[in-house]
Amino acid sequence: MPENISTTLSTAQRWWLLTVLALAQLMIALDTTIVTIALPSAQAELGFPDSSRQWIITGYALTFGGLLLLSGRLGDRWGRKKTLIAGLVGFAVASAIGGAAPSIELLIAARIAQGAFAALLAPSALALVSVSFDDDEGRSRAFGIFGAVSMVGTTIGLLLGGALTEALSWRWTMYINTVIAVPAILGAFLLLPRTAEGTRQRLDIPGAITVTGGFFTLVLGTSQAESAGWSAPLTITYLVVAAVLLVAFVAIQAHTHTPLLPLRVIVNRRRGSALIALLLSSAGLFTTFLFLPYYLQITLGYSQLLTGVAFLPVPIALVTSAVFIGPSLTSKFTARPVIPLGLTIAGVGALLLVRLGATATYVTDLLPSLLLIGAGIGLVVATATGSATADVDPADAGAAAASVNAAQQIGGSVGVAVLSTIAGSAAAAFLAEHPGQETVSPVYGYATAYAGVSVLFLMGALLALVIHPKKSAA
């Protein structure tokens, strides 16, 4: 890979390439939520038990989170043009198979394949953004757009999933990926230069095994905790194995000549603070996206489509913040105050959700929180993604990009599992103290989860401020 693609592409071509990469990121982001709303319809048609539902979500998260770092290094080795196109084609094919699946087994297999190709695709797309924009203003705006697409896609997935399921079929929540992938594949072929080749360094196989196994068992353990509890023997076993494997991975990276994730990429204080901010912001945001649809549909009686519409202020505020406000503030004040500011704003928005009861008015009770969370997270993703990939050696660009995706994916998966368990315990305790309040106890659990989300956001703000060096250009 050349030191930056900006030397081989014109300004117009770079922005067209960003459009292609944003399409790829949109496809990945949509699939974190678009299937969620379609699950009841899929279950009714395929006739699978409740115990199989989680694997449609978990299968995707397991392979995506577990293979990210390995895939980042494969992009460095094989060339990001090849891995980007392979990821796009593979994701489209897996989606088509999932849409046509006649059984739950094939649907889960397709979701697992989607996760694997998403892991191949995501680091390559982000690394290509990083090496395509070297001027400060263009880079900030490019990362603002790319980061906004990532978070907006997650929100739009709720709306699109409901609309496609009601208008066509749940199967179109899978087929839609093929529609997005085709122009992205063509654009990648036309815009990416042939010089986007990889390095010939040896692949860190022990590191790949330990980190993939560690992330896999960590996500599996937290998913198990959500259904069986944290004290369950299998949950404890998974988490212990994850800890052992991840410690072994760090030790391997410190001593191998060709590390999968060079420790220099993450021990840098600026990048470290950005990764922590991305991890905690994703944990809080994904938890909010999990509980609010249940609250809107079950407690307030919203339809699937109306639930998606209710979330629209989030992407509007997020895009405005990420594309326009974030880059402007960062150019004036650097990333150090901007990231904590964004997390603090989001934390206040989450805290306001705690007051929601069995009845609520959308404009006065929900809308302020949605706007604050969207605006705050917009500042974080735009600024932190740029900080986490800035000034990285071109040979490490894939590893740095993979660490960003891993922080978001693992943060989201673990955050949802932890706060879901806490919310469930809170709801059960409330019901034990107030027999007969079955309709109120879930709302109490949701409020507990929102309080946890606020704590995560505010803790992220504090850590980002403390860890980020005071004297830094970004």
Side-chain angles (χ1 to χ4, degrees):
M1 174 72 68
E3 292 200 357
N4 63 68
I5 291 179
S6 62
T7 60
T8 58
L9 296 179
S10 67
T11 300
Q13 287 175 321
R14 285 189 293 142
W15 288 104
W16 276 112
L17 176 59
L18 179 64
T19 302
V20 170
L21 300 175
L23 279 176
Q25 185 64 21
L26 175 64
M27 190 170 64
I28 296 171
L30 283 175
D31 265 66
T32 60
T33 55
I34 194 171
V35 177
T36 304
I37 288 181
L39 281 179
S41 297
Q43 186 173 8
E45 180 178 332
L46 299 180
F48 54 83
D50 290 349
S51 58
S52 298
R53 289 183 305 188
Q54 66 166 326
W55 288 105
I56 298 175
I57 306 299
T58 306
Y60 180 83
L62 283 173
T63 47
F64 189 13
L67 294 175
L68 271 169
L69 288 178
L70 173 60
S71 298
R73 266 309 186 208
L74 289 176
D76 291 334
R77 180 178 175 85
W78 294 342
R80 287 169 208 126
K81 179 175 182 177
K82 293 177 183 177
T83 51
L84 179 75
I85 292 173
L88 285 166
V89 172
F91 200 100
V93 171
S95 299
I97 292 173
S103 66
I104 181 60
E105 290 80 12
L106 188 57
L107 179 58
I108 292 174
R111 289 288 287 170
I112 290 172
Q114 279 184 319
F117 285 110
L120 189 65
L121 173 60
S124 297
L126 182 56
L128 285 167
V129 176
S130 181
V131 298
S132 298
F133 295 86
D134 54 359
D135 57 301
D136 292 339
E137 183 177 354
R139 182 180 176 84
S140 295
R141 197 160 302 282
F143 275 112
I145 293 171
F146 191 82
V149 166
S150 178
M151 291 300 182
V152 167
T154 303
T155 311
I156 295 298
L158 296 170
L159 174 61
L160 189 58
L164 289 173
T165 302
E166 287 191 13
L168 297 171
S169 162
W170 68 267
R171 296 182 181 277
W172 273 94
T173 62
M174 302 288 282
Y175 289 145
I176 190 65
N177 293 313
T178 61
V179 178
I180 299 173
V182 170
I185 293 168
L186 292 175
F189 269 115
L190 293 174
L191 291 171
L192 283 173
R194 292 183 179 180
T195 51
E197 298 297 334
T199 63
R200 296 300 177 187
Q201 65 178 8
R202 175 183 286 178
L203 193 62
D204 176 18
I205 299 300
I209 293 172
T210 51
V211 74
T212 302
F215 281 158
F216 186 91
T217 50
L218 177 61
V219 175
L220 195 60
T222 51
S223 299
Q224 179 72 21
E226 187 176 355
S227 57
W230 292 97
S231 60
L234 189 57
T235 301
I236 295 173
T237 300
Y238 281 139
L239 295 178
V240 169
V241 171
V244 171
L245 288 173
L246 292 175
V247 168
F249 169 71
V250 173
I252 291 169
Q253 300 312 286
H255 294 93
T256 185
H257 293 297
T258 56
L260 194 65
L261 177 61
L263 296 184
R264 61 181 175 270
V265 171
I266 57 174
V267 298
N268 176 281
R269 288 180 59 186
R270 184 180 65 185
R271 284 194 284 272
S273 67
L275 290 172
I276 289 173
L278 289 168
L279 186 145
L280 293 177
S281 63
S282 295
L285 189 65
F286 277 75
T287 301
T288 304
F289 284 165
L290 174 67
F291 284 108
L292 268 184
Y294 278 98
Y295 175 73
L296 292 173
Q297 292 183 49
I298 296 175
T299 304
L300 300 186
Y302 283 33
S303 67
Q304 292 176 332
L305 184 58
L306 188 57
T307 297
V309 172
F311 272 92
L312 280 179
V314 176
I316 292 172
L318 198 151
V319 168
T320 302
S321 180
V323 177
F324 301 105
I325 301 174
S328 177
L329 290 177
T330 302
S331 65
K332 291 181 180 179
F333 303 108
T334 77
R336 187 172 188 266
V338 174
I339 294 174
L341 174 64
L343 285 164
T344 301
I345 292 171
V348 172
L351 190 60
L352 292 177
L353 291 174
V354 174
R355 61 195 173 96
L356 294 178
T359 59
T361 302
Y362 179 79
V363 173
T364 57
D365 297 326
L366 278 166
L367 184 58
S369 291
L370 296 176
L371 290 172
L372 287 171
I373 291 172
I377 297 300
L379 289 181
V380 175
V381 296
T383 310
T385 303
S387 291
T389 55
D391 301 327
V392 176
D393 187 284
D396 294 334
S403 68
V404 169
N405 286 289
Q408 293 175 313
Q409 186 66 23
I410 299 302
S413 300
V414 175
V416 164
V418 172
L419 291 178
S420 293
T421 303
I422 293 173
S425 299
F430 179 89
L431 189 59
E433 294 179 5
H434 304 83
Q437 298 291 316
E438 286 83 2
T439 58
V440 179
S441 60
V443 179
Y444 185 81
Y446 303 152
T448 304
Y450 302 143
V453 168
S454 182
V455 169
L456 287 179
F457 286 152
L458 296 176
M459 183 171 63
L462 179 61
L463 290 174
L465 185 63
V466 171
I467 295 174
H468 197 289
K470 293 182 179 181
K471 295 182 180 180
S472 176

